[in-house]
Amino acid sequence: MEKPRPDPPPLLLALVPVLLTLGLLAVQLFYFGDFTPHIPLVIGLAITGLVGVLRGQEWLDIREGVFHVIHVSMPSLSVLIVVGMIIGVWIASGTVPTLIYYGLTILNPSIFLAAAMILCSVVSLSLGTSWGTVGTVGLALMGIGAGFGIPAYWTAGAVVSGAFFGDKISPLSDTTNLAPAVTGVNIFDHIRNMLPTTVPAMLIALVAYLAAGYALIGSDEASFGAIDRITRELDARFEIGLVPLLPALVVVVLALMRKPPLPSLFAGVLVGALIAIFQQGAGVHDVFTYAQSGYAIDTGVAEIDSLLNSGGIQSMMWTISLMLIALGFGGALERTGCLEAIITAIIARVKTFAAVQSSAIATAFATNLVAGDPYISIALPGRMYSPLYRGMGYSTLNLSRAVEEGGTLMSPLIPWNAGGAFVISALGLGIMSGDIQNLLYIPLAFACWTAPLIGVFYAFTGFFSPRATDDERAGWDKSSEDVMDLEDHALSDSNA
């Protein structure tokens, strides 16, 4: 028989591991200037475990919570490994060089950033994975941006905006399925209810990238000279053409057939390996090396070498180790009840629908910030806020949108979060090597942070904030869902 868990700790005690860990992260990142958040998070995990043990929990129970969250996130870790293989093999097969070549010769430099966002949105919507999009199409776009002389952080911002917004409204995405599942709504109703924030945020980002494109790209010969130098070198080193694009086509077709992302991506690795061997002239052992350790080339052209010397499973190990530690920390916070205590305290203090909706978005973001895991940031607030929305008579579609905006969209903007760590690694932003300026991709991912702000605006105005329908209320009764008693909570159901 499972041993009952103790009640959540008092709020001040629950805040101890969170605040100490954030303090350690601040010292490591800003005082020491060392962008390796691993050890502060390990210490945070230890502090959280100590809090649980001092309150009577068995360490084995806390450990089970740590391993449970890691287990739930294993599909994402698996995608990381396959994406590492894809990057190395697709460079060797000429897939990435071909995309860069055609991008530099066909795309208008001034509209490149806007086009990059739109392309990543379409690919991510089709694949159902923002990470797969960032690691494949996103990498090629980084090369095109470099050829146009656009700073890496601008291109990365456009890639992240498109990739994570496509993921957000794709029925194939794991987070898009998780949010309605924990809040008890239909997935397609959930997707439709996200459009009022998604569409304006994308339009704002589109205008910003168009304006930036025309401001950043000049007509000086140096820029076009760099483009010519890159395309000539790519054409000399690789067989450029339609055949190298087959791996990407295979992945997209399998995604459109609604095949699972992991085998679809791995099929792209296999097709890329065959093209690398039979068209590009690589040996079998060479391909194994590219998949394991990444592609290596010395062309003498800095823009090409910095981009194409990348990929391989080993290139993802820094990110994977960070994810494992961050996920473990989040699991410990959840199992010891620290997160529950903090969220319960927040819920007890909100008195209007506008405050509840804003708090749900902020709670998902804060959970992302502390726990480092987008899944916890969706699942935990989604479970804990649902009774409150039902008690107020509001549809939990409002909540599913809130946790997506604070969870899915904010994940890539937090460097030590699973999403942020992957973006930094896959796009080769070089933060660990001292290129701290590339963290500017965070404010430049306009679509990711404007959507939650639009959601807060709707909460205060009442726009696109549906009440529960009779059918939804009947569903609550049929499923015996928890409905909070508003009299005990002293909560108003008004917007103001």
Side-chain angles (χ1 to χ4, degrees):
M1 183 176 180
E2 185 179 355
K3 182 179 178 180
R5 297 180 194 172
D7 293 332
L11 178 60
L12 290 179
L13 182 60
L15 286 170
V16 167
V18 173
L19 296 178
L20 287 178
T21 303
L22 289 177
L24 288 170
L25 282 170
V27 170
Q28 175 79 332
L29 301 179
F30 303 116
Y31 182 74
F32 293 137
D34 184 355
F35 189 82
T36 49
H38 300 62
I39 302 306
L41 290 172
V42 169
I43 296 173
L45 197 163
I47 294 171
T48 308
L50 180 61
V51 168
V53 170
L54 290 177
R55 298 191 69 251
Q57 272 186 285
E58 296 288 342
W59 162 245
L60 291 180
D61 179 47
I62 300 171
R63 188 186 71 175
E64 182 183 343
V66 170
F67 289 165
H68 171 72
V69 172
I70 292 175
H71 173 74
V72 169
S73 302
M74 282 306 295
S76 296
L77 292 170
S78 302
V79 168
L80 268 177
I81 293 173
V82 177
V83 166
M85 297 172 66
I86 276 184
I87 293 172
V89 172
W90 280 20
I91 294 173
S93 68
T95 305
V96 171
T98 296
L99 289 171
I100 296 172
Y101 181 89
Y102 286 135
L104 289 173
T105 54
I106 295 174
L107 281 176
N108 183 329
S110 297
I111 66 168
F112 165 70
L113 290 173
M117 184 194 72
I118 293 171
L119 177 60
C120 286
S121 298
V122 172
V123 173
S124 188
L125 180 62
S126 303
L127 296 180
T129 166
S130 52
W131 290 12
T133 303
V134 168
T136 53
V137 177
L139 179 67
L141 290 169
M142 293 298 291
I144 298 171
F148 288 148
I150 296 175
Y153 45 81
W154 270 105
T155 306
V159 168
V160 169
S161 286
F164 281 82
F165 255 84
D167 186 300
K168 178 189 172 190
I169 59 173
S170 172
L172 303 176
S173 167
D174 48 4
T175 55
T176 306
N177 281 271
L178 176 61
V182 298
T183 54
V185 298
N186 177 272
I187 182 174
F188 293 103
D189 291 338
H190 166 66
I191 291 173
R192 279 192 295 271
N193 194 56
M194 287 194 295
L195 294 179
T197 56
T198 301
V199 174
M202 289 293 276
L203 289 175
I204 291 170
L206 182 65
V207 171
Y209 293 135
L210 284 172
Y214 282 99
L216 289 170
I217 302 298
S219 58
D220 58 327
E221 292 299 324
S223 175
F224 292 99
I227 293 172
D228 181 64
R229 185 169 63 253
I230 292 170
T231 52
R232 280 191 289 104
E233 192 64 34
L234 289 175
D235 192 35
R237 299 275 180 165
F238 298 93
E239 292 290 335
I240 303 295
L242 296 179
V243 173
L245 297 178
L246 285 178
L249 180 63
V250 167
V251 172
V252 171
V253 169
L254 289 174
L256 293 175
M257 293 171 63
R258 299 199 171 188
K259 300 300 181 183
L262 195 61
S264 299
L265 292 171
F266 189 70
V269 174
L270 295 179
V271 175
L274 292 174
I275 293 174
I277 294 169
F278 293 106
Q279 187 182 43
Q280 304 293 349
V284 174
H285 184 256
D286 292 331
V287 173
F288 286 0
T289 301
Y290 301 148
Q292 170 67 14
S293 303
Y295 191 78
I297 190 172
D298 183 10
T299 65
V301 179
E303 296 92 339
I304 295 178
D305 292 347
S306 63
L307 182 77
L308 299 188
N309 284 288
S310 64
I313 293 175
Q314 292 304 314
S315 70
M316 294 294 168
M317 284 300 127
W318 187 95
T319 303
I320 289 173
S321 63
L322 175 58
M323 284 181 60
L324 288 171
I325 296 168
L327 291 169
F329 177 48
L333 285 171
E334 184 178 22
R335 184 55 64 99
T336 56
C338 291
L339 285 179
E340 181 181 350
I342 296 169
I343 294 174
T344 301
I346 295 171
I347 291 175
R349 286 164 172 77
V350 291
K351 305 300 180 184
T352 65
F353 171 75
V356 170
Q357 185 74 358
S358 302
S359 296
I361 295 172
T363 301
F365 170 66
T367 306
N368 244 332
L369 190 71
V370 174
D373 177 34
Y375 298 99
I376 293 179
S377 71
I378 291 172
L380 193 60
R383 290 197 303 264
M384 299 198 66
Y385 276 86
S386 290
L388 182 54
Y389 279 80
R390 298 188 190 107
M392 296 180 69
Y394 277 88
S395 172
T396 49
L397 284 168
N398 298 291
L399 175 59
S400 65
R401 186 175 69 200
V403 295
E404 275 262 58
E405 288 167 353
T408 303
L409 292 182
M410 301 309 290
S411 170
L413 308 187
I414 302 169
W416 56 87
N417 186 279
F422 174 75
V423 165
I424 289 169
S425 177
L427 296 184
L429 296 181
I431 307 299
M432 291 77 75
S433 304
D435 294 331
I436 302 298
Q437 74 277 3
N438 284 337
L439 285 176
L440 287 172
Y441 86 87
I442 296 171
L444 298 179
F446 298 109
C448 291
W449 58 264
T450 53
L453 295 180
I454 294 170
V456 171
F457 171 75
Y458 289 157
F460 279 92
T461 59
F463 297 150
F464 303 107
S465 302
R467 295 271 188 168
T469 62
D470 291 338
D471 289 342
E472 191 171 359
R473 292 174 186 271
W476 298 343
D477 293 337
K478 184 177 180 180
S479 303
S480 300
E481 300 284 4
D482 290 336
V483 179
M484 182 173 288
D485 188 341
L486 293 185
E487 292 184 2
D488 292 342
H489 192 71
L491 181 69
S492 166
D493 65 354
S494 65
N495 286 322

